[in-house]
Amino acid sequence: ENYNNNLDLNNLTKFLDKNIFKIEKLVGKFIKNIFLIIESDENLHVNLCVKKKNYDDLINQKNLENTLIEVKDLFKENYHEQNIMHMIINNYIINGKNYSSFTTDLNSDHLCLEINFISISNDLVFAFDKILEKYQIKISQYFNGNYIKNFFKEEDIELPEMTYKLKNGHNNNEVILIPKNIENKGFFEKFFQLFS
């Protein structure tokens, strides 16, 4: 554990020791998978801007998907010690004009995207996995609490409901990354549920 963080992992262990069996009894089943919401300055925020040549007549979903895959791979290649929590498209620039959401079938030679990545260190993922392994609990997905709260800052809803909404595509500009082994769908459908 070569990271310096302000998360007290000992308190997490104490909380789980004291409460996990009470929680399981209350819900009437064993807890196997959880979503973990982290509010920490330890999360890495990286903004990338990419400009891709378009060889088709029109900018379409396929162009966007291919570009997003390349940008995600570029992030993973350069930040291999990080685990992506959120991948958000902040801006679409087509023909020098800014768009806040994807507009299909525009004629352009290039597609330019401004993308924000929020990630968590693999060391921290390993530490959480190690703690929860004792209780046979796996973390299905990590979420950044600050991003979630800022996205819903005007609304009066609880953090779990906010997280549920974002997980299910409430932000049309967030790329939902789905583990490859979850469902037997086509590659793009599995990787990007951006247009549902």
PDB file of all heavy atoms in Angstrom, residues 111-136:
ATOM      1  N   LEU A 111     -13.837  15.195 -36.179  1.00  0.00           N
ATOM      2  CA  LEU A 111     -14.633  15.134 -34.954  1.00  0.00           C
ATOM      3  C   LEU A 111     -13.685  15.468 -33.817  1.00  0.00           C
ATOM      4  O   LEU A 111     -12.634  14.838 -33.669  1.00  0.00           O
ATOM      5  CB  LEU A 111     -15.242  13.735 -34.749  1.00  0.00           C
ATOM      6  CG  LEU A 111     -15.919  13.471 -33.411  1.00  0.00           C
ATOM      7  CD1 LEU A 111     -17.131  14.379 -33.222  1.00  0.00           C
ATOM      8  CD2 LEU A 111     -16.341  12.011 -33.295  1.00  0.00           C
ATOM      9  N   CYS A 112     -14.023  16.458 -33.030  1.00  0.00           N
ATOM     10  CA  CYS A 112     -13.193  16.870 -31.903  1.00  0.00           C
ATOM     11  C   CYS A 112     -14.008  16.700 -30.620  1.00  0.00           C
ATOM     12  O   CYS A 112     -15.163  17.117 -30.557  1.00  0.00           O
ATOM     13  CB  CYS A 112     -12.761  18.320 -32.098  1.00  0.00           C
ATOM     14  SG  CYS A 112     -11.571  18.877 -30.874  1.00  0.00           S
ATOM     15  N   LEU A 113     -13.390  16.071 -29.620  1.00  0.00           N
ATOM     16  CA  LEU A 113     -14.082  15.814 -28.356  1.00  0.00           C
ATOM     17  C   LEU A 113     -13.224  16.298 -27.189  1.00  0.00           C
ATOM     18  O   LEU A 113     -12.006  16.111 -27.184  1.00  0.00           O
ATOM     19  CB  LEU A 113     -14.330  14.314 -28.160  1.00  0.00           C
ATOM     20  CG  LEU A 113     -15.168  13.585 -29.193  1.00  0.00           C
ATOM     21  CD1 LEU A 113     -15.134  12.085 -28.922  1.00  0.00           C
ATOM     22  CD2 LEU A 113     -16.593  14.098 -29.188  1.00  0.00           C
ATOM     23  N   GLU A 114     -13.874  16.907 -26.207  1.00  0.00           N
ATOM     24  CA  GLU A 114     -13.230  17.222 -24.931  1.00  0.00           C
ATOM     25  C   GLU A 114     -13.813  16.258 -23.908  1.00  0.00           C
ATOM     26  O   GLU A 114     -15.031  16.247 -23.681  1.00  0.00           O
ATOM     27  CB  GLU A 114     -13.501  18.668 -24.533  1.00  0.00           C
ATOM     28  CG  GLU A 114     -12.857  19.675 -25.450  1.00  0.00           C
ATOM     29  CD  GLU A 114     -13.236  21.118 -25.135  1.00  0.00           C
ATOM     30  OE1 GLU A 114     -14.001  21.354 -24.166  1.00  0.00           O
ATOM     31  OE2 GLU A 114     -12.781  22.005 -25.875  1.00  0.00           O
ATOM     32  N   ILE A 115     -12.946  15.440 -23.327  1.00  0.00           N
ATOM     33  CA  ILE A 115     -13.390  14.354 -22.447  1.00  0.00           C
ATOM     34  C   ILE A 115     -12.717  14.473 -21.082  1.00  0.00           C
ATOM     35  O   ILE A 115     -11.520  14.731 -20.994  1.00  0.00           O
ATOM     36  CB  ILE A 115     -13.075  12.982 -23.075  1.00  0.00           C
ATOM     37  CG1 ILE A 115     -13.781  12.865 -24.422  1.00  0.00           C
ATOM     38  CG2 ILE A 115     -13.465  11.846 -22.145  1.00  0.00           C
ATOM     39  CD1 ILE A 115     -13.378  11.648 -25.224  1.00  0.00           C
ATOM     40  N   ASN A 116     -13.503  14.267 -20.030  1.00  0.00           N
ATOM     41  CA  ASN A 116     -13.005  14.275 -18.665  1.00  0.00           C
ATOM     42  C   ASN A 116     -13.022  12.846 -18.125  1.00  0.00           C
ATOM     43  O   ASN A 116     -14.043  12.155 -18.211  1.00  0.00           O
ATOM     44  CB  ASN A 116     -13.870  15.189 -17.791  1.00  0.00           C
ATOM     45  CG  ASN A 116     -13.465  15.163 -16.337  1.00  0.00           C
ATOM     46  OD1 ASN A 116     -14.226  14.749 -15.477  1.00  0.00           O
ATOM     47  ND2 ASN A 116     -12.249  15.596 -16.043  1.00  0.00           N
ATOM     48  N   PHE A 117     -11.888  12.405 -17.610  1.00  0.00           N
ATOM     49  CA  PHE A 117     -11.785  11.103 -16.941  1.00  0.00           C
ATOM     50  C   PHE A 117     -11.647  11.334 -15.441  1.00  0.00           C
ATOM     51  O   PHE A 117     -10.877  12.195 -15.012  1.00  0.00           O
ATOM     52  CB  PHE A 117     -10.548  10.334 -17.420  1.00  0.00           C
ATOM     53  CG  PHE A 117     -10.663   9.753 -18.792  1.00  0.00           C
ATOM     54  CD1 PHE A 117     -10.267  10.481 -19.901  1.00  0.00           C
ATOM     55  CD2 PHE A 117     -11.160   8.474 -18.980  1.00  0.00           C
ATOM     56  CE1 PHE A 117     -10.363   9.950 -21.178  1.00  0.00           C
ATOM     57  CE2 PHE A 117     -11.264   7.934 -20.249  1.00  0.00           C
ATOM     58  CZ  PHE A 117     -10.862   8.673 -21.353  1.00  0.00           C
ATOM     59  N   ILE A 118     -12.396  10.570 -14.665  1.00  0.00           N
ATOM     60  CA  ILE A 118     -12.228  10.545 -13.212  1.00  0.00           C
ATOM     61  C   ILE A 118     -11.856   9.106 -12.872  1.00  0.00           C
ATOM     62  O   ILE A 118     -12.555   8.170 -13.267  1.00  0.00           O
ATOM     63  CB  ILE A 118     -13.517  10.956 -12.465  1.00  0.00           C
ATOM     64  CG1 ILE A 118     -13.992  12.337 -12.923  1.00  0.00           C
ATOM     65  CG2 ILE A 118     -13.279  10.945 -10.951  1.00  0.00           C
ATOM     66  CD1 ILE A 118     -15.359  12.737 -12.387  1.00  0.00           C
ATOM     67  N   SER A 119     -10.741   8.948 -12.154  1.00  0.00           N
ATOM     68  CA  SER A 119     -10.265   7.590 -11.889  1.00  0.00           C
ATOM     69  C   SER A 119      -9.801   7.441 -10.451  1.00  0.00           C
ATOM     70  O   SER A 119      -9.618   8.411  -9.728  1.00  0.00           O
ATOM     71  CB  SER A 119      -9.134   7.230 -12.864  1.00  0.00           C
ATOM     72  OG  SER A 119      -8.031   8.085 -12.666  1.00  0.00           O
ATOM     73  N   ILE A 120      -9.610   6.193 -10.078  1.00  0.00           N
ATOM     74  CA  ILE A 120      -9.149   5.816  -8.745  1.00  0.00           C
ATOM     75  C   ILE A 120      -7.892   4.961  -8.919  1.00  0.00           C
ATOM     76  O   ILE A 120      -7.794   4.193  -9.881  1.00  0.00           O
ATOM     77  CB  ILE A 120     -10.257   5.041  -7.977  1.00  0.00           C
ATOM     78  CG1 ILE A 120      -9.809   4.665  -6.571  1.00  0.00           C
ATOM     79  CG2 ILE A 120     -10.722   3.824  -8.741  1.00  0.00           C
ATOM     80  CD1 ILE A 120     -10.909   4.038  -5.724  1.00  0.00           C
ATOM     81  N   SER A 121      -6.946   5.093  -8.016  1.00  0.00           N
ATOM     82  CA  SER A 121      -5.691   4.349  -8.158  1.00  0.00           C
ATOM     83  C   SER A 121      -5.926   2.845  -7.956  1.00  0.00           C
ATOM     84  O   SER A 121      -6.773   2.428  -7.158  1.00  0.00           O
ATOM     85  CB  SER A 121      -4.641   4.847  -7.167  1.00  0.00           C
ATOM     86  OG  SER A 121      -4.907   4.354  -5.874  1.00  0.00           O
ATOM     87  N   ASN A 122      -5.164   2.052  -8.690  1.00  0.00           N
ATOM     88  CA  ASN A 122      -5.251   0.597  -8.540  1.00  0.00           C
ATOM     89  C   ASN A 122      -4.854   0.163  -7.133  1.00  0.00           C
ATOM     90  O   ASN A 122      -5.366  -0.843  -6.631  1.00  0.00           O
ATOM     91  CB  ASN A 122      -4.361  -0.098  -9.577  1.00  0.00           C
ATOM     92  CG  ASN A 122      -4.926   0.007 -10.976  1.00  0.00           C
ATOM     93  OD1 ASN A 122      -6.120   0.218 -11.166  1.00  0.00           O
ATOM     94  ND2 ASN A 122      -4.065  -0.116 -11.969  1.00  0.00           N
ATOM     95  N   ASP A 123      -3.953   0.920  -6.483  1.00  0.00           N
ATOM     96  CA  ASP A 123      -3.566   0.596  -5.103  1.00  0.00           C
ATOM     97  C   ASP A 123      -4.769   0.693  -4.166  1.00  0.00           C
ATOM     98  O   ASP A 123      -4.965  -0.149  -3.295  1.00  0.00           O
ATOM     99  CB  ASP A 123      -2.473   1.547  -4.604  1.00  0.00           C
ATOM    100  CG  ASP A 123      -1.119   1.272  -5.240  1.00  0.00           C
ATOM    101  OD1 ASP A 123      -0.933   0.176  -5.797  1.00  0.00           O
ATOM    102  OD2 ASP A 123      -0.254   2.168  -5.167  1.00  0.00           O
ATOM    103  N   LEU A 124      -5.564   1.738  -4.363  1.00  0.00           N
ATOM    104  CA  LEU A 124      -6.744   1.914  -3.517  1.00  0.00           C
ATOM    105  C   LEU A 124      -7.796   0.847  -3.821  1.00  0.00           C
ATOM    106  O   LEU A 124      -8.427   0.307  -2.908  1.00  0.00           O
ATOM    107  CB  LEU A 124      -7.317   3.323  -3.697  1.00  0.00           C
ATOM    108  CG  LEU A 124      -8.231   3.854  -2.605  1.00  0.00           C
ATOM    109  CD1 LEU A 124      -7.623   3.691  -1.215  1.00  0.00           C
ATOM    110  CD2 LEU A 124      -8.565   5.311  -2.860  1.00  0.00           C
ATOM    111  N   VAL A 125      -7.975   0.520  -5.111  1.00  0.00           N
ATOM    112  CA  VAL A 125      -8.890  -0.563  -5.495  1.00  0.00           C
ATOM    113  C   VAL A 125      -8.453  -1.864  -4.815  1.00  0.00           C
ATOM    114  O   VAL A 125      -9.273  -2.587  -4.246  1.00  0.00           O
ATOM    115  CB  VAL A 125      -8.920  -0.737  -7.036  1.00  0.00           C
ATOM    116  CG1 VAL A 125      -9.605  -2.037  -7.427  1.00  0.00           C
ATOM    117  CG2 VAL A 125      -9.608   0.448  -7.695  1.00  0.00           C
ATOM    118  N   PHE A 126      -7.159  -2.138  -4.848  1.00  0.00           N
ATOM    119  CA  PHE A 126      -6.623  -3.355  -4.228  1.00  0.00           C
ATOM    120  C   PHE A 126      -6.900  -3.354  -2.716  1.00  0.00           C
ATOM    121  O   PHE A 126      -7.301  -4.374  -2.151  1.00  0.00           O
ATOM    122  CB  PHE A 126      -5.117  -3.472  -4.497  1.00  0.00           C
ATOM    123  CG  PHE A 126      -4.489  -4.672  -3.870  1.00  0.00           C
ATOM    124  CD1 PHE A 126      -4.647  -5.935  -4.431  1.00  0.00           C
ATOM    125  CD2 PHE A 126      -3.748  -4.546  -2.700  1.00  0.00           C
ATOM    126  CE1 PHE A 126      -4.077  -7.055  -3.841  1.00  0.00           C
ATOM    127  CE2 PHE A 126      -3.176  -5.663  -2.103  1.00  0.00           C
ATOM    128  CZ  PHE A 126      -3.334  -6.922  -2.675  1.00  0.00           C
ATOM    129  N   ALA A 127      -6.707  -2.187  -2.071  1.00  0.00           N
ATOM    130  CA  ALA A 127      -6.927  -2.100  -0.619  1.00  0.00           C
ATOM    131  C   ALA A 127      -8.395  -2.373  -0.274  1.00  0.00           C
ATOM    132  O   ALA A 127      -8.687  -3.125   0.670  1.00  0.00           O
ATOM    133  CB  ALA A 127      -6.505  -0.722  -0.112  1.00  0.00           C
ATOM    134  N   PHE A 128      -9.316  -1.772  -1.042  1.00  0.00           N
ATOM    135  CA  PHE A 128     -10.744  -2.022  -0.791  1.00  0.00           C
ATOM    136  C   PHE A 128     -11.091  -3.492  -1.051  1.00  0.00           C
ATOM    137  O   PHE A 128     -11.829  -4.109  -0.274  1.00  0.00           O
ATOM    138  CB  PHE A 128     -11.619  -1.122  -1.669  1.00  0.00           C
ATOM    139  CG  PHE A 128     -11.741   0.282  -1.176  1.00  0.00           C
ATOM    140  CD1 PHE A 128     -11.368   1.348  -1.984  1.00  0.00           C
ATOM    141  CD2 PHE A 128     -12.238   0.564   0.087  1.00  0.00           C
ATOM    142  CE1 PHE A 128     -11.479   2.653  -1.536  1.00  0.00           C
ATOM    143  CE2 PHE A 128     -12.353   1.866   0.542  1.00  0.00           C
ATOM    144  CZ  PHE A 128     -11.970   2.915  -0.268  1.00  0.00           C
ATOM    145  N   ASP A 129     -10.577  -4.040  -2.144  1.00  0.00           N
ATOM    146  CA  ASP A 129     -10.836  -5.450  -2.465  1.00  0.00           C
ATOM    147  C   ASP A 129     -10.358  -6.360  -1.340  1.00  0.00           C
ATOM    148  O   ASP A 129     -11.032  -7.322  -0.973  1.00  0.00           O
ATOM    149  CB  ASP A 129     -10.160  -5.850  -3.779  1.00  0.00           C
ATOM    150  CG  ASP A 129     -10.873  -5.303  -5.006  1.00  0.00           C
ATOM    151  OD1 ASP A 129     -12.024  -4.822  -4.860  1.00  0.00           O
ATOM    152  OD2 ASP A 129     -10.282  -5.347  -6.094  1.00  0.00           O
ATOM    153  N   LYS A 130      -9.180  -6.065  -0.799  1.00  0.00           N
ATOM    154  CA  LYS A 130      -8.597  -6.879   0.269  1.00  0.00           C
ATOM    155  C   LYS A 130      -9.474  -6.846   1.524  1.00  0.00           C
ATOM    156  O   LYS A 130      -9.705  -7.873   2.157  1.00  0.00           O
ATOM    157  CB  LYS A 130      -7.201  -6.328   0.564  1.00  0.00           C
ATOM    158  CG  LYS A 130      -6.174  -7.290   1.010  1.00  0.00           C
ATOM    159  CD  LYS A 130      -5.873  -8.336  -0.019  1.00  0.00           C
ATOM    160  CE  LYS A 130      -4.845  -9.269   0.543  1.00  0.00           C
ATOM    161  NZ  LYS A 130      -5.063 -10.647   0.215  1.00  0.00           N
ATOM    162  N   ILE A 131      -9.958  -5.663   1.873  1.00  0.00           N
ATOM    163  CA  ILE A 131     -10.801  -5.518   3.077  1.00  0.00           C
ATOM    164  C   ILE A 131     -12.117  -6.277   2.881  1.00  0.00           C
ATOM    165  O   ILE A 131     -12.551  -7.027   3.761  1.00  0.00           O
ATOM    166  CB  ILE A 131     -11.074  -4.029   3.378  1.00  0.00           C
ATOM    167  CG1 ILE A 131      -9.793  -3.365   3.879  1.00  0.00           C
ATOM    168  CG2 ILE A 131     -12.198  -3.873   4.395  1.00  0.00           C
ATOM    169  CD1 ILE A 131      -9.879  -1.848   3.965  1.00  0.00           C
ATOM    170  N   LEU A 132     -12.764  -6.089   1.738  1.00  0.00           N
ATOM    171  CA  LEU A 132     -14.092  -6.670   1.507  1.00  0.00           C
ATOM    172  C   LEU A 132     -14.037  -8.172   1.222  1.00  0.00           C
ATOM    173  O   LEU A 132     -15.036  -8.869   1.415  1.00  0.00           O
ATOM    174  CB  LEU A 132     -14.789  -5.929   0.373  1.00  0.00           C
ATOM    175  CG  LEU A 132     -15.167  -4.483   0.741  1.00  0.00           C
ATOM    176  CD1 LEU A 132     -15.591  -3.714  -0.488  1.00  0.00           C
ATOM    177  CD2 LEU A 132     -16.267  -4.466   1.779  1.00  0.00           C
ATOM    178  N   GLU A 133     -12.875  -8.659   0.807  1.00  0.00           N
ATOM    179  CA  GLU A 133     -12.694 -10.094   0.535  1.00  0.00           C
ATOM    180  C   GLU A 133     -13.025 -10.921   1.783  1.00  0.00           C
ATOM    181  O   GLU A 133     -13.599 -12.006   1.698  1.00  0.00           O
ATOM    182  CB  GLU A 133     -11.227 -10.299   0.130  1.00  0.00           C
ATOM    183  CG  GLU A 133     -10.837 -11.660  -0.310  1.00  0.00           C
ATOM    184  CD  GLU A 133      -9.363 -11.647  -0.700  1.00  0.00           C
ATOM    185  OE1 GLU A 133      -8.500 -11.858   0.189  1.00  0.00           O
ATOM    186  OE2 GLU A 133      -9.073 -11.422  -1.880  1.00  0.00           O
ATOM    187  N   LYS A 134     -12.685 -10.388   2.939  1.00  0.00           N
ATOM    188  CA  LYS A 134     -12.940 -11.062   4.222  1.00  0.00           C
ATOM    189  C   LYS A 134     -14.434 -11.347   4.423  1.00  0.00           C
ATOM    190  O   LYS A 134     -14.818 -12.291   5.094  1.00  0.00           O
ATOM    191  CB  LYS A 134     -12.400 -10.168   5.343  1.00  0.00           C
ATOM    192  CG  LYS A 134     -12.647 -10.650   6.745  1.00  0.00           C
ATOM    193  CD  LYS A 134     -12.055  -9.662   7.739  1.00  0.00           C
ATOM    194  CE  LYS A 134     -12.491  -9.970   9.159  1.00  0.00           C
ATOM    195  NZ  LYS A 134     -12.044  -8.944  10.104  1.00  0.00           N
ATOM    196  N   TYR A 135     -15.288 -10.502   3.813  1.00  0.00           N
ATOM    197  CA  TYR A 135     -16.744 -10.633   3.963  1.00  0.00           C
ATOM    198  C   TYR A 135     -17.396 -11.224   2.707  1.00  0.00           C
ATOM    199  O   TYR A 135     -18.605 -11.204   2.578  1.00  0.00           O
ATOM    200  CB  TYR A 135     -17.361  -9.254   4.269  1.00  0.00           C
ATOM    201  CG  TYR A 135     -16.661  -8.549   5.398  1.00  0.00           C
ATOM    202  CD1 TYR A 135     -15.643  -7.633   5.138  1.00  0.00           C
ATOM    203  CD2 TYR A 135     -16.982  -8.815   6.730  1.00  0.00           C
ATOM    204  CE1 TYR A 135     -14.974  -7.002   6.172  1.00  0.00           C
ATOM    205  CE2 TYR A 135     -16.318  -8.181   7.771  1.00  0.00           C
ATOM    206  CZ  TYR A 135     -15.309  -7.273   7.484  1.00  0.00           C
ATOM    207  OH  TYR A 135     -14.644  -6.644   8.508  1.00  0.00           O
ATOM    208  N   GLN A 136     -16.563 -11.730   1.786  1.00  0.00           N
ATOM    209  CA  GLN A 136     -17.021 -12.269   0.491  1.00  0.00           C
ATOM    210  C   GLN A 136     -17.840 -11.248  -0.302  1.00  0.00           C
ATOM    211  O   GLN A 136     -18.841 -11.585  -0.935  1.00  0.00           O
ATOM    212  CB  GLN A 136     -17.838 -13.572   0.652  1.00  0.00           C
ATOM    213  CG  GLN A 136     -17.034 -14.777   1.085  1.00  0.00           C
ATOM    214  CD  GLN A 136     -16.922 -14.879   2.598  1.00  0.00           C
ATOM    215  OE1 GLN A 136     -17.891 -14.666   3.301  1.00  0.00           O
ATOM    216  NE2 GLN A 136     -15.740 -15.190   3.087  1.00  0.00           N
TER     217      GLN A 136
END
